[in-house]
Amino acid sequence: MLRWRRVEISGGALLMLAALYYLDGQGVLPLALLACALHEAGHWLATRALGGRITALRLTCVGAEMRLSARYPLGYAGQCIAALAGPCANLAAAWAAARTGTELGYCFAGLNLALGAFNLLPAAQLDGGRVLWCALALLAGRTRADRFVPALSAALAAGLVCGALALVWKGRGNLSLLLTALWLLAAPAAGNMRMERLG
């Protein structure tokens, strides 16, 4: 694990970046990394604006995760706003990039739209899952939110795995959807959903 101030980078993240760089024949990786950076910047700016503090940014082979300080907690509404700020940053970047009218702009817009939309899925590991958990915890209590969101995540991931396998079997799919679905199925459900984390 590499550490620099509050940033931690796992060996898996470095290995994944090396593999992506090797496989990136079209030069899309820098644009994808910029879209990811804008996404995390959206989380960071919203958290700071709401009075929260980031204690660490951890980059792993399955994505980025911000840990929030327990000394400066965000309420349910604050966590929802901070979670939605990442996809909103991607939406704003997509809009600005598409307005350039260039092929590069459209490519960057597409990457931002894909990243923002994916993170809005109601899976516990993603921003949409955080928003859903906060809403359920507020309306029905934490215990029910702790039960429902991981169960929904598992069902969503299982459905995506089945759909991806069906597309691959019919020769119409690629492995990206299958790998993403398997990650959602296998990845821990963002640890304890009660901990304030943003991805």
Side-chain angles (χ1 to χ4, degrees):
M1 178 80 63
L2 294 176
R3 287 185 176 86
W4 181 71
R5 297 191 179 184
R6 295 181 183 178
V7 178
E8 301 173 356
I9 305 174
S10 72
L14 294 174
L15 184 61
M16 183 193 66
L17 281 173
L20 290 173
Y21 177 76
Y22 177 75
L23 296 170
D24 183 25
Q26 297 177 330
V28 176
L29 182 61
L31 293 176
L33 292 176
L34 179 57
C36 292
L38 289 172
H39 182 92
E40 297 305 324
H43 289 315
W44 183 81
L45 287 171
T47 300
R48 292 289 294 184
L50 293 166
R53 297 290 182 270
I54 306 294
T55 59
L57 171 63
R58 188 162 190 250
L59 304 174
T60 68
C61 61
V62 294
E65 171 189 302
M66 289 183 179
R67 293 198 181 267
L68 306 183
S69 171
R71 292 181 62 192
Y72 302 94
L74 297 178
Y76 293 135
Q79 289 184 57
C80 284
I81 293 169
L84 291 172
C88 285
N90 290 129
L91 183 62
W95 178 80
R99 289 186 54 86
T100 65
T102 64
E103 185 176 340
L104 186 65
Y106 290 135
C107 178
F108 189 56
L111 288 167
N112 275 283
L113 285 175
L115 179 62
F118 174 72
N119 271 280
L120 288 174
L121 289 174
Q125 302 89 335
L126 303 173
D127 299 328
R130 167 54 61 189
V131 171
L132 179 60
W133 185 89
C134 288
L136 286 174
L138 184 63
L139 297 172
R142 289 184 169 195
T143 303
R144 289 185 178 158
D146 282 340
R147 289 183 192 147
F148 180 77
V149 174
L152 178 62
S153 298
L156 174 67
L160 285 173
V161 168
C162 292
L165 286 173
L167 288 172
V168 169
W169 183 65
K170 291 188 174 191
R172 296 182 181 169
N174 61 40
L175 293 179
S176 300
L177 178 60
L178 180 59
L179 291 174
T180 302
L182 289 171
W183 170 72
L184 285 175
L185 193 61
N192 182 348
M193 289 297 289
R194 297 181 191 206
M195 293 175 59
E196 293 187 4
R197 298 163 51 150
L198 297 172

